[in-house]
Amino acid sequence: MGSILETFEALHGGSKALADRARLVFPSGVTHDIRAFAPWPVYVERAAGARKWDVDGNEYIDYIGGHGSLLLGHSRPEVVEAAREALGRGTHFGSSHEGEVEWGEQVLRMVPCGERVRFTSSGTEATMMALRL
């Protein structure tokens, strides 16, 4: 049996090939610093429930869970169906719509001390708004 590094390299040839390509495209070879691993990151091909599989066929338990956004797991049928229905109505209105009002009302029900809701695109945007307040 080889070292941990040798075993990793032997099991992740497809990820290495993608990492080599990515180094020519992205600074540090990744789209986000949290994904930077030595000797290279694992490239995921698909996911279902609490598991994901890399391009080399290795199976993992997904402890990252979409950084908290996938509490119900990957590809949960009722979530996929709801997304399919929403996409059928349009992909990006660029205008106000009833769905955003319903979403805001739900947040206020869940956070009873909240008075108003402001949705932002990122934590950075939210922080900048908080500083302005």
Side-chain angles (χ1 to χ4, degrees), residues 69-88:
S69 65
L70 298 173
L71 294 175
L72 301 177
H74 295 275
S75 303
R76 183 142 175 154
E78 59 269 36
V79 174
V80 170
E81 182 55 33
R84 189 175 285 122
E85 288 177 21
L87 288 169

Side-chain angles (χ1 to χ4, degrees), residues 43-113:
Y43 281 77
V44 173
E45 183 173 70
R46 67 185 177 88
R51 302 195 179 276
K52 56 188 177 183
W53 291 262
D54 68 17
V55 296
D56 298 292
N58 300 301
E59 181 179 344
Y60 306 88
I61 296 174
D62 184 8
Y63 291 107
I64 297 171
H67 305 283
S69 65
L70 298 173
L71 294 175
L72 301 177
H74 295 275
S75 303
R76 183 142 175 154
E78 59 269 36
V79 174
V80 170
E81 182 55 33
R84 189 175 285 122
E85 288 177 21
L87 288 169
R89 291 189 298 274
T91 53
H92 189 296
F93 300 139
S95 301
S96 296
H97 56 89
E98 184 178 8
E100 68 186 12
V101 177
E102 292 171 350
W103 182 21
E105 290 168 341
Q106 178 64 38
V107 170
L108 290 176
R109 281 192 296 275
M110 294 167 61
V111 184
C113 64

